[in-house]
Amino acid sequence: MSSRPKVGLALGGGGARGLSHIGVIKTLVDNNIPINFIAGTSIGALVGGLYALKSDTNWLESIALNNNWRGLISLLDPTFRQGFLAGNKVRRFINKNVGDAHFSRCKIPFTVVATEIRTGEAVIINKGELAPAIRASVSAPLVFRPVKMDDMLLVDGGLSMQVPVSVVRSMGADIVIAVNLDGDHFVEEDDGGYGWYRIAHHSLNIVFKNLAEQNVKDADIVIAPRVGNIGWGRFDSAPEAIEAGMVATSFELDKIKSLLGK
């Protein structure tokens, strides 16, 4: 008799849009879909790490809905070395919820993806302390100062792997569910105003969208929450983001259950 397939969750990057990961996880859990492995990039590393550590959706959602998350951007502290923001307060925010826990304490096997800024290569982290690894993965260049780890200089994992499908597959997942936050960028109305900031913003969105599409090609299921109207720093949109994650996942439940049945 064959054992039940192992399910891996690949959580992509995308700033506050990544709060929709919570809705995805809640819906999977509520429908008795097992989550055997988790890999996360950027906000996916933060949400994925919190859930992997305690495997508690109520606790995870409560963090998303309180003022700490809503005011996350206000916690940022300016610096002019390497990045605009030192990230010390963000690190304290992560430490408050993760503490000094190591990967080995996670109830669900978990992996973080960061990027070595000097080589552009993806760095896979699944040992040692959780907090520094998550902090590295969320360190958007020119926004946060890079994180030094061993002899590496690490920044946002989304620069090298926006949705870590291959990572969670290598962890042992038979079925990979990918959450792509980059399929819904261009939903805003075109008012004809394209200044330098909007052009730069859209250019980055195009890069991440194309990278994400390449990353998810080998996923068995791709969940794409409709969160294109939520800005990178709009953590006050947690209720809408979580709901979007729940709705998008509900559309894929029959496919997931079918794969599990096979």
Side-chain angles (χ1 to χ4, degrees):
M1 182 176 178
S2 61
S3 60
R4 191 174 189 181
K6 300 292 186 182
V7 177
L9 195 56
L11 303 178
R17 297 191 301 271
L19 297 180
S20 61
H21 290 321
I22 298 170
V24 173
I25 294 170
K26 278 175 55 69
T27 305
L28 294 176
V29 171
D30 289 346
N31 285 273
N32 299 313
I33 306 298
I35 301 175
N36 304 107
F37 307 98
I38 301 174
T41 290
S42 197
I43 186 66
L46 181 52
V47 174
L50 291 172
Y51 183 68
L53 182 62
K54 293 193 176 183
S55 191
D56 184 339
T57 55
N58 291 328
W59 176 70
L60 181 62
E61 187 173 21
S62 71
I63 294 174
L65 296 175
N66 71 25
N67 289 327
N68 285 335
W69 277 68
R70 290 183 181 184
L72 184 59
I73 298 305
S74 69
L75 296 176
L76 306 179
D77 45 325
T79 183
F80 295 99
R81 292 184 177 181
Q82 296 180 302
F84 294 133
L85 304 163
N88 292 328
K89 295 180 181 179
V90 171
R91 183 171 63 248
R92 287 195 289 271
F93 173 83
I94 295 171
N95 287 341
K96 176 182 177 181
N97 294 289
V98 175
D100 60 356
H102 285 227
F103 281 85
S104 58
R105 278 183 52 189
C106 289
K107 293 185 177 180
I108 299 172
F110 175 59
T111 297
V112 166
V113 178
T115 302
E116 221 300 344
I117 189 62
R118 292 169 295 195
T119 65
E121 294 181 355
V123 176
I124 310 304
I125 310 172
N126 53 24
K127 295 179 181 178
E129 287 191 55
L130 271 172
I134 294 172
R135 164 74 177 84
S137 188
V138 302
S139 296
L142 299 182
V143 179
F144 294 111
R145 184 186 296 175
V147 173
K148 292 182 179 179
M149 187 175 294
D150 298 328
D151 59 346
M152 299 179 292
L153 198 60
L154 303 180
V155 295
D156 197 314
L159 293 175
S160 56
M161 192 180 300
Q162 184 69 338
V163 189
V165 170
S166 60
V167 173
V168 80
R169 181 82 71 186
S170 69
M171 293 171 71
D174 302 302
I175 298 170
V176 174
I177 300 172
V179 185
N180 180 9
L181 305 176
D182 291 287
D184 190 36
H185 275 311
F186 305 101
V187 297
E188 61 182 318
E189 294 184 6
D190 186 356
D191 58 7
Y194 273 80
W196 70 267
Y197 175 80
R198 195 172 184 190
I199 290 173
H201 180 66
H202 275 240
S203 298
L204 285 174
N205 285 344
I206 291 168
V207 171
F208 285 131
K209 177 178 182 292
N210 290 333
L211 179 57
E213 286 178 353
Q214 290 297 316
N215 291 161
V216 302
K217 281 184 176 180
D218 294 327
D220 298 288
I221 299 289
V222 179
I223 297 172
R226 299 281 293 176
V227 287
N229 60 329
I230 297 177
W232 181 84
R234 289 298 307 275
F235 287 89
D236 57 333
S237 299
E240 296 88 342
I242 292 172
E243 177 66 20
M246 295 174 68
V247 170
T249 307
S250 67
F251 289 138
E252 305 296 333
L253 285 175
D254 287 343
K255 293 179 184 178
I256 297 170
K257 291 177 180 178
S258 177
L259 287 173
L260 283 170
K262 291 179 182 178

